């Protein structure tokens, strides 16, 4: 069974204070690791897909990296508008299911 | 606006009742997914439909059922509701349910339907 664990559960940063969110995963045959952003009262919004260890993707102040066991979402010089819950998910090759397995998320608060 | 439309946004009902949640996928998307998000469980996959046919099943209770209609909209039916069914229910869509969920085939989520069972 695919499993995803995200840490920390919650993170408070001052504006401009860089940090990283962690996503540890166990999956049978990784077909993709996904990062989503979820604002309160809204659905998850797609950020990145990573496929293999060593891969990196960047978007504005966000950079996602992948190893064989975990992924990091690095946030450089965050702004208050980066406040949201960040979700990590994996797509495995087990069985015939094509659904994503999500972690519980990291709730990020960036204070001005 | 993600292009995935869910109604109603909020629903309050009593235990034992039945409700129907509706989802219209993004234009051009053939696959629809239903997820449940509760405070203690995170996002849990319920069921997937592709072009009208059930494609994959997750942790969906027998009291729950879904279908996808010829116009590709989908409905999730929840019956004999219990307090523990209170949650956010998300619909997501993708172009093709058979390919990896990335690139142009990424999962796009709706804003969700918040169900409260009293």
């Amino acid at each position: 069974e695919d499993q995803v664990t995200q840490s920390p559960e919650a993170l408070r940063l001052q504006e401009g204070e860089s940090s990283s969110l962690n996503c540890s995963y166990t999956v049978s045959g990784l077909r993709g690791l996904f990062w989503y952003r979820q604002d309160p009262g809204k659905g998850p919004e797609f950020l990145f897909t990573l496929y293999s260890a060593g891969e990196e993707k960047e978007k504005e102040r966000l950079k996602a990296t992948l190893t064989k066991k975990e992924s990091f979402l690095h946030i450089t010089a965050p702004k208050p508008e980066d406040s949201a819950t960040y979700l990590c998910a994996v797509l495995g090759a087990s069985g015939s299911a094509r659904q994503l397995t999500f972690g519980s998320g990291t709730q990020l608060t960036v204070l001005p | 606006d993600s292009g995935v439309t869910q109604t109603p946004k909020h629903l309050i009902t009593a235990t034992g009742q039945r409700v129907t949640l509706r989802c219209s996928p993004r234009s051009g998307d053939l696959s629809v997914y239903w997820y449940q998000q509760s405070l203690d469980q995170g996002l849990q996959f319920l069921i997937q439909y592709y072009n009208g046919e059930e494609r994959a099943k997750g942790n969906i209770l027998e009291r729950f059922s879904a279908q996808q209609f010829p116009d590709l909209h989908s409905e999730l039916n929840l019956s004999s509701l219990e307090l523990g069914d209170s949650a956010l229910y998300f619909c997501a869509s993708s172009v093709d349910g058979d390919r990896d969920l990335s690139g142009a085939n990424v999962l796009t989520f709706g804003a969700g339907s918040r169900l409260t069972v009293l």
Side-chain angles (χ1 to χ4, degrees), chain B residues 16-66:
Chain B
Q17 296 298 306
R18 171 190 170 94
V19 298
T20 296
L21 309 179
R22 182 188 168 103
C23 168
S24 293
R26 200 177 53 162
S27 178
D29 286 357
L30 299 178
S31 203
V32 168
Y33 309 75
W34 285 98
Y35 283 83
Q36 179 191 57
Q37 187 177 44
S38 54
L39 283 175
D40 58 344
Q41 290 281 332
L43 268 168
Q44 299 285 316
F45 169 74
L46 296 178
I47 197 164
Q48 175 201 356
Y49 279 83
Y50 175 72
N51 205 20
E53 294 188 2
E54 182 183 305
R55 184 58 62 92
K57 232 173 184 176
N59 301 318
I60 188 166
L61 299 171
E62 286 190 11
R63 300 183 286 108
F64 296 179
S65 65

Short mmCIF file of all heavy atoms in Angstrom, two decimals, chain B residues 16-66:
data_model
loop_
_atom_site.label_atom_id
_atom_site.label_comp_id
_atom_site.label_asym_id
_atom_site.label_seq_id
_atom_site.Cartn_x
_atom_site.Cartn_y
_atom_site.Cartn_z
N GLY B 16 -29.05 9.69 8.69
CA GLY B 16 -30.04 8.84 8.04
C GLY B 16 -30.52 9.35 6.70
O GLY B 16 -31.17 8.60 5.96
N GLN B 17 -30.21 10.58 6.38
CA GLN B 17 -30.68 11.17 5.12
C GLN B 17 -29.79 10.76 3.95
O GLN B 17 -28.73 10.15 4.11
CB GLN B 17 -30.74 12.69 5.23
CG GLN B 17 -31.76 13.19 6.25
CD GLN B 17 -33.17 12.78 5.88
OE1 GLN B 17 -33.65 13.04 4.76
NE2 GLN B 17 -33.85 12.13 6.80
N ARG B 18 -30.24 11.17 2.75
CA ARG B 18 -29.51 10.90 1.52
C ARG B 18 -29.28 12.22 0.80
O ARG B 18 -30.18 13.07 0.75
CB ARG B 18 -30.32 9.94 0.64
CG ARG B 18 -29.80 9.73 -0.75
CD ARG B 18 -30.83 8.97 -1.58
NE ARG B 18 -30.48 8.94 -2.99
CZ ARG B 18 -29.81 7.96 -3.57
NH1 ARG B 18 -29.44 6.91 -2.87
NH2 ARG B 18 -29.53 8.00 -4.86
N VAL B 19 -28.08 12.38 0.23
CA VAL B 19 -27.78 13.59 -0.53
C VAL B 19 -27.09 13.22 -1.83
O VAL B 19 -26.52 12.13 -1.97
CB VAL B 19 -26.86 14.56 0.27
CG1 VAL B 19 -27.54 15.03 1.55
CG2 VAL B 19 -25.51 13.92 0.56
N THR B 20 -27.15 14.14 -2.78
CA THR B 20 -26.48 13.96 -4.07
C THR B 20 -25.59 15.16 -4.34
O THR B 20 -26.05 16.31 -4.26
CB THR B 20 -27.50 13.81 -5.21
OG1 THR B 20 -28.27 12.62 -4.99
CG2 THR B 20 -26.78 13.69 -6.55
N LEU B 21 -24.34 14.89 -4.63
CA LEU B 21 -23.38 15.92 -4.99
C LEU B 21 -23.13 15.83 -6.49
O LEU B 21 -23.00 14.74 -7.04
CB LEU B 21 -22.06 15.73 -4.22
CG LEU B 21 -22.20 15.57 -2.70
CD1 LEU B 21 -20.82 15.39 -2.07
CD2 LEU B 21 -22.92 16.74 -2.09
N ARG B 22 -23.01 17.00 -7.11
CA ARG B 22 -22.88 17.03 -8.56
C ARG B 22 -21.56 17.65 -8.99
O ARG B 22 -21.06 18.57 -8.35
CB ARG B 22 -24.03 17.83 -9.16
CG ARG B 22 -24.05 17.90 -10.67
CD ARG B 22 -25.10 18.86 -11.17
NE ARG B 22 -24.91 19.12 -12.59
CZ ARG B 22 -25.65 18.58 -13.55
NH1 ARG B 22 -26.62 17.75 -13.24
NH2 ARG B 22 -25.42 18.89 -14.82
N CYS B 23 -21.02 17.14 -10.08
CA CYS B 23 -19.75 17.63 -10.60
C CYS B 23 -19.79 17.72 -12.12
O CYS B 23 -20.17 16.76 -12.80
CB CYS B 23 -18.62 16.69 -10.18
SG CYS B 23 -17.04 16.98 -11.02
N SER B 24 -19.38 18.86 -12.64
CA SER B 24 -19.18 19.01 -14.08
C SER B 24 -17.69 19.13 -14.34
O SER B 24 -17.06 20.06 -13.82
CB SER B 24 -19.91 20.25 -14.62
OG SER B 24 -21.30 20.07 -14.51
N PRO B 25 -17.11 18.23 -15.12
CA PRO B 25 -15.66 18.27 -15.33
C PRO B 25 -15.25 19.43 -16.22
O PRO B 25 -16.07 20.08 -16.86
CB PRO B 25 -15.37 16.93 -16.01
CG PRO B 25 -16.65 16.59 -16.71
CD PRO B 25 -17.74 17.12 -15.84
N ARG B 26 -13.95 19.67 -16.26
CA ARG B 26 -13.39 20.68 -17.15
C ARG B 26 -13.67 20.29 -18.58
O ARG B 26 -13.67 19.09 -18.92
CB ARG B 26 -11.88 20.76 -16.90
CG ARG B 26 -11.19 22.01 -17.35
CD ARG B 26 -9.74 21.98 -16.98
NE ARG B 26 -9.07 20.77 -17.44
CZ ARG B 26 -7.75 20.67 -17.54
NH1 ARG B 26 -6.99 21.69 -17.20
NH2 ARG B 26 -7.21 19.56 -17.95
N SER B 27 -13.92 21.27 -19.43
CA SER B 27 -14.24 20.99 -20.82
C SER B 27 -13.13 20.17 -21.47
O SER B 27 -11.94 20.52 -21.39
CB SER B 27 -14.40 22.33 -21.57
OG SER B 27 -14.66 22.10 -22.94
N GLY B 28 -13.49 19.07 -22.08
CA GLY B 28 -12.51 18.21 -22.75
C GLY B 28 -12.02 17.06 -21.91
O GLY B 28 -11.39 16.13 -22.44
N ASP B 29 -12.27 17.11 -20.60
CA ASP B 29 -11.83 16.03 -19.71
C ASP B 29 -12.85 14.90 -19.72
O ASP B 29 -14.05 15.14 -19.58
CB ASP B 29 -11.63 16.54 -18.29
CG ASP B 29 -10.38 17.38 -18.14
OD1 ASP B 29 -9.64 17.52 -19.14
OD2 ASP B 29 -10.15 17.89 -17.03
N LEU B 30 -12.37 13.67 -19.85
CA LEU B 30 -13.26 12.51 -19.90
C LEU B 30 -13.33 11.76 -18.58
O LEU B 30 -14.23 10.96 -18.37
CB LEU B 30 -12.79 11.54 -20.99
CG LEU B 30 -12.78 12.08 -22.42
CD1 LEU B 30 -12.26 11.01 -23.38
CD2 LEU B 30 -14.18 12.52 -22.84
N SER B 31 -12.34 11.98 -17.73
CA SER B 31 -12.24 11.22 -16.49
C SER B 31 -12.61 12.09 -15.30
O SER B 31 -12.19 13.24 -15.20
CB SER B 31 -10.81 10.70 -16.32
OG SER B 31 -10.78 9.58 -15.48
N VAL B 32 -13.40 11.51 -14.39
CA VAL B 32 -13.83 12.21 -13.18
C VAL B 32 -13.46 11.37 -11.97
O VAL B 32 -13.59 10.15 -11.97
CB VAL B 32 -15.36 12.44 -13.20
CG1 VAL B 32 -15.86 12.88 -11.84
CG2 VAL B 32 -15.74 13.48 -14.23
N TYR B 33 -12.96 12.04 -10.96
CA TYR B 33 -12.54 11.39 -9.71
C TYR B 33 -13.28 12.05 -8.55
O TYR B 33 -13.47 13.27 -8.54
CB TYR B 33 -11.04 11.57 -9.47
CG TYR B 33 -10.15 11.19 -10.63
CD1 TYR B 33 -10.03 11.99 -11.75
CD2 TYR B 33 -9.39 10.01 -10.59
CE1 TYR B 33 -9.21 11.65 -12.81
CE2 TYR B 33 -8.56 9.66 -11.64
CZ TYR B 33 -8.47 10.49 -12.75
OH TYR B 33 -7.66 10.15 -13.80
N TRP B 34 -13.64 11.25 -7.55
CA TRP B 34 -14.23 11.79 -6.32
C TRP B 34 -13.28 11.51 -5.15
O TRP B 34 -12.78 10.39 -5.00
CB TRP B 34 -15.58 11.16 -6.03
CG TRP B 34 -16.67 11.67 -6.93
CD1 TRP B 34 -17.15 11.08 -8.06
CD2 TRP B 34 -17.42 12.87 -6.74
NE1 TRP B 34 -18.15 11.86 -8.60
CE2 TRP B 34 -18.34 12.96 -7.81
CE3 TRP B 34 -17.41 13.89 -5.79
CZ2 TRP B 34 -19.24 14.02 -7.95
CZ3 TRP B 34 -18.30 14.94 -5.93
CH2 TRP B 34 -19.20 15.00 -6.99
N TYR B 35 -13.06 12.54 -4.35
CA TYR B 35 -12.22 12.44 -3.17
C TYR B 35 -12.99 12.97 -1.96
O TYR B 35 -13.81 13.89 -2.07
CB TYR B 35 -10.93 13.26 -3.31
CG TYR B 35 -9.87 12.65 -4.16
CD1 TYR B 35 -9.89 12.78 -5.55
CD2 TYR B 35 -8.82 11.94 -3.59
CE1 TYR B 35 -8.89 12.22 -6.34
CE2 TYR B 35 -7.81 11.38 -4.36
CZ TYR B 35 -7.86 11.53 -5.74
OH TYR B 35 -6.88 10.97 -6.50
N GLN B 36 -12.68 12.39 -0.80
CA GLN B 36 -13.23 12.87 0.47
C GLN B 36 -12.08 13.44 1.29
O GLN B 36 -11.02 12.83 1.40
CB GLN B 36 -13.89 11.71 1.22
CG GLN B 36 -14.49 12.10 2.58
CD GLN B 36 -14.88 10.87 3.39
OE1 GLN B 36 -14.06 10.00 3.65
NE2 GLN B 36 -16.14 10.78 3.77
N GLN B 37 -12.29 14.63 1.86
CA GLN B 37 -11.27 15.23 2.72
C GLN B 37 -11.87 15.55 4.08
O GLN B 37 -12.74 16.39 4.21
CB GLN B 37 -10.70 16.51 2.09
CG GLN B 37 -9.53 17.09 2.86
CD GLN B 37 -8.93 18.31 2.18
OE1 GLN B 37 -9.65 19.19 1.71
NE2 GLN B 37 -7.61 18.37 2.11
N SER B 38 -11.40 14.86 5.09
CA SER B 38 -11.81 15.15 6.46
C SER B 38 -10.58 15.55 7.25
O SER B 38 -9.44 15.32 6.82
CB SER B 38 -12.49 13.93 7.09
OG SER B 38 -11.66 12.79 6.99
N LEU B 39 -10.82 16.16 8.43
CA LEU B 39 -9.71 16.73 9.20
C LEU B 39 -8.69 15.68 9.59
O LEU B 39 -7.50 15.91 9.59
CB LEU B 39 -10.25 17.42 10.44
CG LEU B 39 -10.89 18.79 10.19
CD1 LEU B 39 -11.50 19.34 11.46
CD2 LEU B 39 -9.87 19.76 9.61
N ASP B 40 -9.17 14.47 9.93
CA ASP B 40 -8.25 13.47 10.44
C ASP B 40 -7.78 12.48 9.39
O ASP B 40 -6.95 11.62 9.68
CB ASP B 40 -8.92 12.71 11.60
CG ASP B 40 -10.21 12.03 11.17
OD1 ASP B 40 -10.74 12.40 10.10
OD2 ASP B 40 -10.71 11.16 11.90
N GLN B 41 -8.28 12.57 8.17
CA GLN B 41 -7.94 11.56 7.15
C GLN B 41 -7.21 12.12 5.95
O GLN B 41 -6.65 11.38 5.18
CB GLN B 41 -9.22 10.87 6.66
CG GLN B 41 -9.89 9.97 7.66
CD GLN B 41 -9.21 8.62 7.74
OE1 GLN B 41 -8.61 8.16 6.78
NE2 GLN B 41 -9.26 8.00 8.90
N GLY B 42 -7.24 13.43 5.76
CA GLY B 42 -6.64 13.95 4.54
C GLY B 42 -7.50 13.59 3.34
O GLY B 42 -8.65 13.17 3.47
N LEU B 43 -6.95 13.75 2.16
CA LEU B 43 -7.68 13.46 0.92
C LEU B 43 -7.69 11.96 0.66
O LEU B 43 -6.64 11.34 0.50
CB LEU B 43 -7.03 14.17 -0.26
CG LEU B 43 -7.55 15.55 -0.61
CD1 LEU B 43 -6.61 16.22 -1.60
CD2 LEU B 43 -8.95 15.45 -1.21
N GLN B 44 -8.89 11.39 0.59
CA GLN B 44 -9.03 9.96 0.35
C GLN B 44 -9.76 9.73 -0.97
O GLN B 44 -10.86 10.25 -1.18
CB GLN B 44 -9.82 9.30 1.49
CG GLN B 44 -9.16 9.43 2.85
CD GLN B 44 -7.98 8.50 3.01
OE1 GLN B 44 -8.04 7.33 2.65
NE2 GLN B 44 -6.88 9.03 3.55
N PHE B 45 -9.18 8.92 -1.82
CA PHE B 45 -9.78 8.62 -3.11
C PHE B 45 -11.00 7.74 -2.92
O PHE B 45 -10.97 6.75 -2.19
CB PHE B 45 -8.76 7.92 -4.00
CG PHE B 45 -9.33 7.32 -5.25
CD1 PHE B 45 -9.71 8.13 -6.31
CD2 PHE B 45 -9.49 5.96 -5.38
CE1 PHE B 45 -10.23 7.59 -7.47
CE2 PHE B 45 -10.00 5.39 -6.54
CZ PHE B 45 -10.38 6.22 -7.59
N LEU B 46 -12.09 8.09 -3.58
CA LEU B 46 -13.32 7.29 -3.50
C LEU B 46 -13.53 6.46 -4.75
O LEU B 46 -13.64 5.23 -4.69
CB LEU B 46 -14.52 8.20 -3.27
CG LEU B 46 -14.54 8.99 -1.95
CD1 LEU B 46 -15.76 9.89 -1.89
CD2 LEU B 46 -14.49 8.06 -0.76
N ILE B 47 -13.61 7.12 -5.92
CA ILE B 47 -13.96 6.40 -7.13
C ILE B 47 -13.59 7.23 -8.35
O ILE B 47 -13.51 8.46 -8.28
CB ILE B 47 -15.47 6.05 -7.12
CG1 ILE B 47 -15.80 4.96 -8.13
CG2 ILE B 47 -16.31 7.30 -7.31
CD1 ILE B 47 -17.16 4.32 -7.90
N GLN B 48 -13.33 6.54 -9.47
CA GLN B 48 -13.01 7.19 -10.74
C GLN B 48 -13.92 6.68 -11.83
O GLN B 48 -14.19 5.48 -11.92
CB GLN B 48 -11.56 6.92 -11.13
CG GLN B 48 -11.18 7.48 -12.50
CD GLN B 48 -9.96 6.82 -13.11
OE1 GLN B 48 -9.33 5.97 -12.49
NE2 GLN B 48 -9.62 7.19 -14.33
N TYR B 49 -14.37 7.59 -12.69
CA TYR B 49 -15.12 7.23 -13.88
C TYR B 49 -14.40 7.77 -15.10
O TYR B 49 -13.78 8.84 -15.06
CB TYR B 49 -16.54 7.81 -13.83
CG TYR B 49 -17.47 6.97 -13.02
CD1 TYR B 49 -17.51 7.11 -11.63
CD2 TYR B 49 -18.28 6.01 -13.60
CE1 TYR B 49 -18.34 6.32 -10.87
CE2 TYR B 49 -19.11 5.21 -12.84
CZ TYR B 49 -19.13 5.37 -11.47
OH TYR B 49 -19.94 4.58 -10.72
N TYR B 50 -14.46 7.00 -16.17
CA TYR B 50 -13.87 7.43 -17.43
C TYR B 50 -14.89 7.24 -18.53
O TYR B 50 -15.32 6.12 -18.79
CB TYR B 50 -12.59 6.65 -17.75
CG TYR B 50 -12.00 6.97 -19.09
CD1 TYR B 50 -11.38 8.19 -19.33
CD2 TYR B 50 -12.08 6.06 -20.13
CE1 TYR B 50 -10.86 8.50 -20.56
CE2 TYR B 50 -11.56 6.36 -21.38
CZ TYR B 50 -10.94 7.57 -21.58
OH TYR B 50 -10.43 7.89 -22.82
N ASN B 51 -15.30 8.32 -19.13
CA ASN B 51 -16.23 8.30 -20.25
C ASN B 51 -17.47 7.43 -19.96
O ASN B 51 -17.91 6.65 -20.79
CB ASN B 51 -15.52 7.78 -21.51
CG ASN B 51 -16.18 8.28 -22.78
OD1 ASN B 51 -16.91 9.28 -22.78
ND2 ASN B 51 -15.94 7.59 -23.88
N GLY B 52 -17.98 7.58 -18.75
CA GLY B 52 -19.23 6.91 -18.38
C GLY B 52 -19.07 5.58 -17.68
O GLY B 52 -20.05 5.04 -17.15
N GLU B 53 -17.86 5.06 -17.65
CA GLU B 53 -17.66 3.75 -17.03
C GLU B 53 -16.81 3.86 -15.77
O GLU B 53 -15.84 4.62 -15.73
CB GLU B 53 -16.97 2.80 -18.01
CG GLU B 53 -17.83 2.47 -19.23
CD GLU B 53 -17.19 1.37 -20.08
OE1 GLU B 53 -16.12 0.87 -19.70
OE2 GLU B 53 -17.79 1.05 -21.12
N GLU B 54 -17.12 3.04 -14.78
CA GLU B 54 -16.31 3.01 -13.58
C GLU B 54 -14.94 2.46 -13.92
O GLU B 54 -14.81 1.40 -14.54
CB GLU B 54 -16.98 2.13 -12.52
CG GLU B 54 -16.22 2.07 -11.20
CD GLU B 54 -16.90 1.14 -10.21
OE1 GLU B 54 -18.09 1.32 -9.92
OE2 GLU B 54 -16.21 0.21 -9.72
N ARG B 55 -13.87 3.16 -13.48
CA ARG B 55 -12.51 2.76 -13.84
C ARG B 55 -11.71 2.27 -12.65
O ARG B 55 -10.89 1.36 -12.77
CB ARG B 55 -11.79 3.92 -14.54
CG ARG B 55 -10.42 3.60 -15.05
CD ARG B 55 -10.45 2.44 -16.06
NE ARG B 55 -11.25 2.74 -17.24
CZ ARG B 55 -10.73 3.26 -18.36
NH1 ARG B 55 -9.46 3.57 -18.41
NH2 ARG B 55 -11.50 3.45 -19.41
N ALA B 56 -11.89 2.89 -11.50
CA ALA B 56 -11.14 2.48 -10.31
C ALA B 56 -11.94 2.82 -9.07
O ALA B 56 -12.71 3.79 -9.06
CB ALA B 56 -9.78 3.16 -10.26
N LYS B 57 -11.79 1.97 -8.05
CA LYS B 57 -12.51 2.18 -6.79
C LYS B 57 -11.52 2.27 -5.65
O LYS B 57 -10.56 1.49 -5.60
CB LYS B 57 -13.46 1.00 -6.55
CG LYS B 57 -14.89 1.39 -6.27
CD LYS B 57 -15.78 0.17 -6.22
CE LYS B 57 -17.22 0.57 -6.03
NZ LYS B 57 -18.13 -0.58 -6.06
N GLY B 58 -11.74 3.18 -4.75
CA GLY B 58 -10.89 3.33 -3.58
C GLY B 58 -11.67 2.99 -2.33
O GLY B 58 -12.41 2.01 -2.29
N ASN B 59 -11.52 3.82 -1.31
CA ASN B 59 -12.15 3.55 -0.02
C ASN B 59 -13.58 4.06 0.03
O ASN B 59 -13.96 4.79 0.93
CB ASN B 59 -11.34 4.23 1.08
CG ASN B 59 -9.90 3.75 1.11
OD1 ASN B 59 -9.65 2.56 0.96
ND2 ASN B 59 -8.97 4.68 1.26
N ILE B 60 -14.39 3.63 -0.90
CA ILE B 60 -15.76 4.10 -0.95
C ILE B 60 -16.67 3.14 -0.20
O ILE B 60 -16.62 1.93 -0.38
CB ILE B 60 -16.24 4.30 -2.42
CG1 ILE B 60 -17.61 4.97 -2.45
CG2 ILE B 60 -16.20 2.99 -3.20
CD1 ILE B 60 -18.00 5.50 -3.81
N LEU B 61 -17.50 3.71 0.69
CA LEU B 61 -18.41 2.89 1.49
C LEU B 61 -19.54 2.36 0.61
O LEU B 61 -19.89 2.95 -0.41
CB LEU B 61 -19.00 3.73 2.63
CG LEU B 61 -17.99 4.31 3.63
CD1 LEU B 61 -18.68 5.29 4.56
CD2 LEU B 61 -17.31 3.20 4.41
N GLU B 62 -20.15 1.25 1.04
CA GLU B 62 -21.26 0.69 0.29
C GLU B 62 -22.46 1.63 0.27
O GLU B 62 -23.28 1.58 -0.65
CB GLU B 62 -21.66 -0.66 0.88
CG GLU B 62 -20.69 -1.77 0.55
CD GLU B 62 -21.22 -3.14 0.93
OE1 GLU B 62 -22.42 -3.24 1.24
OE2 GLU B 62 -20.43 -4.10 0.90
N ARG B 63 -22.55 2.51 1.26
CA ARG B 63 -23.65 3.49 1.33
C ARG B 63 -23.48 4.61 0.29
O ARG B 63 -24.38 5.40 0.08
CB ARG B 63 -23.71 4.13 2.72
CG ARG B 63 -23.93 3.15 3.86
CD ARG B 63 -24.05 3.85 5.19
NE ARG B 63 -22.78 4.34 5.69
CZ ARG B 63 -22.43 5.62 5.75
NH1 ARG B 63 -23.26 6.55 5.31
NH2 ARG B 63 -21.26 5.99 6.25
N PHE B 64 -22.30 4.65 -0.31
CA PHE B 64 -22.02 5.69 -1.31
C PHE B 64 -22.04 5.06 -2.70
O PHE B 64 -21.58 3.93 -2.89
CB PHE B 64 -20.65 6.32 -1.07
CG PHE B 64 -20.50 7.06 0.24
CD1 PHE B 64 -19.29 7.67 0.56
CD2 PHE B 64 -21.55 7.19 1.14
CE1 PHE B 64 -19.13 8.36 1.75
CE2 PHE B 64 -21.40 7.87 2.34
CZ PHE B 64 -20.18 8.46 2.65
N SER B 65 -22.49 5.82 -3.66
CA SER B 65 -22.44 5.35 -5.05
C SER B 65 -22.24 6.55 -5.95
O SER B 65 -22.47 7.70 -5.55
CB SER B 65 -23.73 4.61 -5.42
OG SER B 65 -24.83 5.50 -5.39
N ALA B 66 -21.80 6.29 -7.15
CA ALA B 66 -21.56 7.38 -8.09
C ALA B 66 -21.90 6.91 -9.49
O ALA B 66 -22.04 5.72 -9.76
CB ALA B 66 -20.11 7.85 -8.01
#
